[in-house]
Amino acid sequence: MIFSKKAEQIEASITLAITAKAKEMKKNGIDIIGFGAGEPDFNTPENIQSAAIEAMKEGLTKYTPASGIIELKEAIVEKFKKENNLNYKPSQIIISTGAKQCLANAFMAILNPGDEVIIPTPYWVSYPELVKLSDGVPVFAKTDEKNSYKYDVGKLEKIVNDKTKAIIINSPNNPTGSVCTREELLELADFAKRHDLVIISDEIYEKLMYEEDEHVSIASLSEDAYKRTIVINGVSKTYAMTGWRIGYAAADEKIIKLMSNIQSHATSNPNSIAQYASLEALVGDQSSIHDMIKEFKSRRDYAVERINKINYISCIEPKGAFYVFINISKIIGKTIDGEKINGSLDFCDKLLEKGKVAAVPGVGFGLENFIRISYATSMENIKNGLDRIEEFINKLR
């Protein structure tokens, strides 16, 4: 029997695979410290939980409009206006089952077979696969550690062509934690205008920033950028609601209409209860965000300082999100117990097996000789986990 050739080209998520393997080892009684998770370790705030319970009691458990309830759309419109200087109408908003579905809807709405999408390397693991599922072609733009892994417009000019349809911007970035400045975004907006590209701006980590600079949405920089940008966001990271699966997107009315039509056949509406909980997240008490950011910053500061004191590895300081992208290039070729480390996958396999620490290999993000760890875990785990990594590295020959 012949199965879908497209489906057979899709790679499994390395992030989820590592997390699953670590969980299985934990289940078998092995003491594992997991640095793989891309989710806050905090519970969803109580006011949001209460809103979900109230929604159930009120019978708000039925189908909703496929693209989401109007109350939540209006709250998102207000959020964009107040926080991002962006003016949308509810008809320009779609609510989906997580930001990942928003991205999938967006690619299906804009791509035709053979259309190319520029993706920065390193990238979030699902970008290339979502593009391929929509019959597009991922084209990778290499970035430089010295430039905090951000786009170089000069290099972009060398890969753009008449097949290029879109460019992905992810700020704050997963896996590097880098954040684009207003000036850098203006350059990218101008690049997109010159080549008539759709901008996919993934802003899911917008609130998780640790410096004084404010998050800037590229769609807010000019009328042209506004018209050509699809803004992707959600409640998962900001409100510790990963399992609730609510994301949202804003764009030109025609694009949102296409995305909504696609969603209406693929999944219909996102979870009704989670939508009402998300409404409370956006309009209710925001103090939990500040507490979470304060704790993440403390963890980041410790992790970065500690990592840069360990032999053979180094990292840049992430400005946002909750990941550290660690350079392990000096370790490649070394051995442990007679076994050679040939790349990031080897390193992470042996670190999990012998060091009892789960990290994600950089090859999953398109960049070999790096690993990603998440500091969305307790300070105790961070300290113990980095101690174990140092102990593991000290055994290398």
Side-chain angles (χ1 to χ4, degrees):
M1 184 177 290
I2 299 172
F3 297 107
S4 164
K5 292 180 181 178
K6 184 196 295 185
E8 288 179 341
Q9 291 175 353
I10 302 302
E11 300 288 339
S13 168
I14 287 183
T15 311
L16 297 179
I18 289 287
T19 302
K21 187 174 180 180
K23 285 182 178 178
E24 184 65 24
M25 292 174 73
K26 278 186 177 182
K27 186 179 176 182
N28 293 330
I30 302 172
D31 177 26
I32 299 294
I33 292 178
F35 282 146
E39 60 181 351
D41 56 315
F42 302 91
N43 196 9
T44 305
E46 289 188 11
N47 62 309
I48 299 173
Q49 296 180 42
S50 297
I53 294 168
E54 192 60 33
M56 287 186 280
K57 287 181 178 179
E58 291 180 9
L60 300 174
T61 56
K62 312 298 182 185
Y63 291 131
T64 75
S67 62
I69 59 173
I70 187 63
E71 298 95 328
L72 182 52
K73 288 185 179 183
E74 289 173 343
I76 292 166
V77 165
E78 184 61 26
K79 178 260 181 235
F80 276 124
K81 183 178 181 180
K82 180 181 177 182
E83 298 181 0
N84 305 106
N85 195 29
L86 286 167
N87 292 306
Y88 293 109
K89 297 178 291 187
S91 57
Q92 292 177 272
I93 306 293
I94 182 173
I95 301 155
S96 303
T97 305
K100 186 180 286 190
Q101 188 182 22
C102 289
L103 286 162
N105 289 338
F107 292 129
M108 283 190 277
I110 67 170
L111 296 180
N112 289 304
D115 283 348
E116 296 182 357
V117 179
I118 297 174
I119 301 172
T121 302
Y123 47 75
W124 177 54
V125 294
S126 290
Y127 289 146
E129 310 312 314
L130 290 173
V131 169
K132 288 188 284 185
L133 279 170
S134 297
D135 293 320
V137 179
V139 174
F140 302 107
K142 292 183 179 179
T143 63
D144 194 325
E145 185 176 4
K146 294 177 182 177
N147 189 37
S148 299
Y149 309 100
K150 291 187 276 191
Y151 279 127
D152 179 324
V153 173
K155 292 180 180 178
L156 289 178
E157 293 288 356
K158 295 178 181 179
I159 62 174
V160 69
N161 59 65
D162 57 3
K163 293 182 180 179
T164 311
K165 175 62 75 68
I167 182 170
I168 295 175
I169 297 171
N170 177 208
S171 176
N173 181 270
N174 174 11
T176 67
S178 62
V179 173
C180 291
T181 65
R182 177 180 293 271
E183 291 70 27
E184 289 164 340
L185 291 172
L186 282 167
E187 271 195 283
L188 291 170
D190 183 61
F191 170 79
K193 181 179 180 179
R194 287 199 309 276
H195 298 286
D196 194 23
L197 306 180
V198 177
I199 300 169
I200 310 289
S201 184
D202 184 351
E203 303 177 17
I204 191 68
Y205 294 99
E206 97 175 286
K207 294 289 182 69
L208 300 179
M209 292 176 60
Y210 309 110
E211 311 307 324
E212 293 182 357
D213 296 336
E214 288 187 350
H215 168 77
V216 177
S217 176
I218 192 169
S220 70
L221 296 180
S222 69
E223 184 178 353
D224 182 81
Y226 173 84
K227 289 179 178 178
R228 67 176 65 253
T229 299
I230 304 173
V231 179
I232 308 291
N233 211 319
V235 298
S236 294
K237 315 296 183 180
T238 300
Y239 299 98
M241 294 178 69
T242 50
W244 297 75
R245 308 308 302 130
I246 295 293
Y248 55 86
D252 177 84
E253 211 164 30
K254 184 176 181 180
I255 292 176
I256 293 298
K257 178 65 174 175
L258 292 173
M259 291 171 66
S260 298
N261 288 344
I262 291 163
Q263 181 166 299
S264 70
H265 292 290
T267 59
S268 193
N269 65 274
N271 181 286
S272 62
I273 300 158
Q275 287 188 72
Y276 287 101
S278 299
L279 176 60
E280 171 62 23
L282 291 179
V283 303
D285 180 22
Q286 303 293 300
S287 60
S288 62
I289 300 174
H290 305 297
D291 295 339
M292 187 166 65
I293 291 171
K294 183 179 179 181
E295 178 61 25
F296 278 147
K297 184 180 186 302
S298 175
R299 296 174 186 179
R300 180 205 64 170
D301 292 347
Y302 174 83
V304 169
E305 183 179 3
R306 182 76 176 84
I307 288 164
N308 285 319
K309 288 180 178 178
I310 297 174
N311 288 334
Y312 306 120
I313 64 174
S314 62
C315 68
I316 65 165
E317 181 182 71
K319 304 299 182 183
F322 38 64
Y323 309 106
V324 184
F325 205 52
I326 303 174
N327 188 329
I328 61 164
S329 57
K330 293 179 180 178
I331 286 173
I332 306 306
K334 292 184 179 293
T335 62
I336 184 165
D337 297 336
E339 299 175 8
K340 189 175 180 180
I341 295 175
N342 295 306
S344 61
L345 194 58
D346 268 356
F347 179 89
C348 287
D349 278 342
K350 291 175 175 58
L351 178 63
L352 183 57
E353 177 190 346
K354 302 176 184 296
K356 304 299 184 286
V357 174
V360 186
V363 67
F365 306 101
L367 199 60
E368 190 58 279
N369 300 344
F370 287 79
I371 64 169
R372 189 198 78 176
I373 68 167
S374 167
Y375 49 89
T377 186
S378 70
M379 184 66 87
E380 181 183 5
N381 279 345
I382 292 169
K383 290 179 178 179
N384 290 338
L386 292 177
D387 285 346
R388 291 184 187 187
I389 288 175
E390 182 173 38
E391 184 179 347
F392 172 80
I393 289 174
N394 286 340
K395 293 178 182 177
L396 300 177
R397 296 292 178 265

